[in-house]
Amino acid sequence: MKRLALVTSHPIQYNAPLFAFLAEEPQIDLMVFYTWGEAALGPKYDPDFGKEIDWDIPLLKGYNYHFTRNISKNPGSNHFTGIITPDLIQEINDYNPSVIWVWGWSFHSHLKVMRYFKGKIPIWFRGDSIIGEKRNSIKTFARKSVLTWIYKHIDKAFYVGQRNKEYYLEYGLNESQLIKAHHSIDNSRFSLLTVKDELVLNNLKQNLDIKDNDYVILYAGKLEPRKNPAFLETLGKRIEKDKIKLIIVGNGPLETQLKLKLAEVKNVMFLDFQNQTQMPIIYRLAHLYLLPSLSETWGLGMNEALACGTPVAASKHCGGAIDLINQKNGFIFDPKEGVDNFMKKLNIFRDVPKVGFQNEFLQTFNYNRIVDAVVQELF
């Protein structure tokens, strides 16, 4: 039996099912240490969505966890001093783990754990950072020096994809320290629909006036600059005369502006933020899921769409695109080359046979692969 202490900030809808899978392993005693504190539970205001979000799936089911005390004056997961936990090191010591797995270093307490236990207990790490646009500057040099120093405090890193692996190699880790563990989601929630869900889907199509001969493109996410809603605006106007419909799902700071600019375009429809239980239905409205981001370390919406059997068109700036997308299940494009270039790629892709890509995705990108990697490294 190996005791695995997993240190992460707060319960997240993508991670909780994985923790439950890990806890099912008879050879592993898992304890998840949540460092934001119990204040992270319940509804929270998301400034990017511009509304309070309360996930509608269980986040603390099937595994052991502990909320440690956070004394930060401004608690949160969006800045380094948002997590300051004076009891955490002693609590980890009391648990007496075989390995400590830290998820994210950019918090005061997480970095402190890495520094304190390095050389005493094996330190694993998981993050999804990628190398940004390189610039020759003092700031770039300083960043590389800091990150190289930080990653000297870990023994192994579980990389989520090819661009994440390149990032670790750039900042001082070697191949022998890197373990593949692709970003994954709870595929079981997305790959099949219940009879009730099918009825909801059909009703929603009727309400949105989606006809059998319509081709539907879906965007689902925050309407913020990084997600590139300007591309959605241009695309909406470009397809106005085509039998293509664009559904934009989500909220955010650029929502009002985008709705005003597309108010007269009949092919474009807007839906508010949809919670996790609704998303398997939403993805099935579309023939193509679109992610035009200007910056995205991975893009888990791509996983969700592919698990539903919906192909994906992703910006080349989405870190997970090169891992997830192949000729059968979608295409990669450069949003800076404009909508006309996107449409050329779309028209070519629409003629590509797409049989079997959903099963191929489900077999490759799943929680079992991550659990297997963890077991192999532990034993």
Side-chain angles (χ1 to χ4, degrees), residues 111 114-119 123 148-155:
L111 186 56
M114 291 162 59
R115 295 183 65 190
Y116 178 86
F117 285 105
K118 174 61 177 173
I123 301 292
T148 301
W149 172 79
I150 287 169
Y151 290 121
K152 284 182 178 178
H153 295 89
I154 68 174
D155 299 293

Side-chain angles (χ1 to χ4, degrees), residues 183-359:
H183 253 325
S184 300
I185 61 165
D186 187 0
N187 289 333
S188 62
R189 283 203 306 109
F190 289 89
S191 57
L192 296 172
L193 282 189
T194 66
V195 173
K196 181 180 177 182
D197 289 338
E198 293 277 7
L199 291 173
V200 173
L201 175 60
N202 291 332
N203 288 335
L204 188 54
K205 284 183 176 180
Q206 289 180 4
N207 292 338
L208 295 173
D209 194 28
I210 295 174
K211 303 289 195 302
D212 289 341
N213 62 340
D214 288 332
Y215 189 87
V216 180
I217 298 174
L218 169 73
Y219 169 82
K222 296 176 180 178
L223 296 174
E224 59 178 351
R226 181 174 64 87
K227 297 288 188 176
N228 198 13
F231 187 88
L232 300 176
E233 176 194 342
T234 307
L235 177 63
K237 294 175 179 177
R238 166 68 174 76
I239 63 173
E240 188 171 6
K241 295 180 181 179
D242 299 323
K243 287 186 177 179
I244 294 178
K245 292 185 175 180
L246 173 62
I247 301 176
I248 299 173
V249 179
N251 304 100
L254 298 181
E255 175 186 355
T256 301
Q257 177 182 332
L258 186 62
K259 285 180 175 178
L260 286 172
K261 290 184 176 180
L262 294 173
E264 303 301 320
V265 182
K266 294 180 181 179
N267 294 46
V268 179
M269 294 158 281
F270 287 87
L271 294 175
D272 282 337
F273 164 84
Q274 302 291 305
N275 218 318
Q276 283 289 290
T277 56
Q278 286 86 47
M279 287 310 297
I281 296 169
I282 297 298
Y283 286 114
R284 285 174 170 82
L285 288 171
H287 298 87
L288 184 76
Y289 172 66
L290 170 62
L291 193 59
S293 304
L294 298 173
S295 174
E296 194 89 47
T297 55
W298 181 266
L300 283 164
M302 294 187 288
N303 292 64
E304 294 177 341
L306 291 170
C308 292
T310 303
V312 171
S315 158
K316 72 173 190 175
H317 304 294
C318 299
I322 60 172
D323 298 277
L324 291 166
I325 296 176
N326 56 50
Q327 291 182 338
K328 285 199 299 184
N329 68 15
F331 61 92
I332 300 172
F333 67 99
D334 184 350
K336 295 180 181 178
E337 291 181 355
V339 165
D340 286 342
N341 178 67
F342 169 84
M343 291 300 296
K344 288 178 184 177
K345 292 197 169 201
L346 173 61
N347 290 331
I348 293 171
F349 176 71
R350 288 177 69 171
D351 294 329
V352 173
K354 305 171 181 66
V355 177
F357 79 80
Q358 182 184 21
N359 285 334

Side-chain angles (χ1 to χ4, degrees), residues 3 96-97 106 166 222 241-242 253 303 362:
R3 299 171 71 85
N96 191 27
S106 58
E166 293 167 358
K222 296 176 180 178
K241 295 180 181 179
D242 299 323
N303 292 64
L362 295 173

Side-chain angles (χ1 to χ4, degrees), residues 101-112:
W101 198 5
V102 180
W103 287 40
W105 63 263
S106 58
F107 310 114
H108 175 275
S109 290
H110 291 208
L111 186 56
K112 188 175 180 180

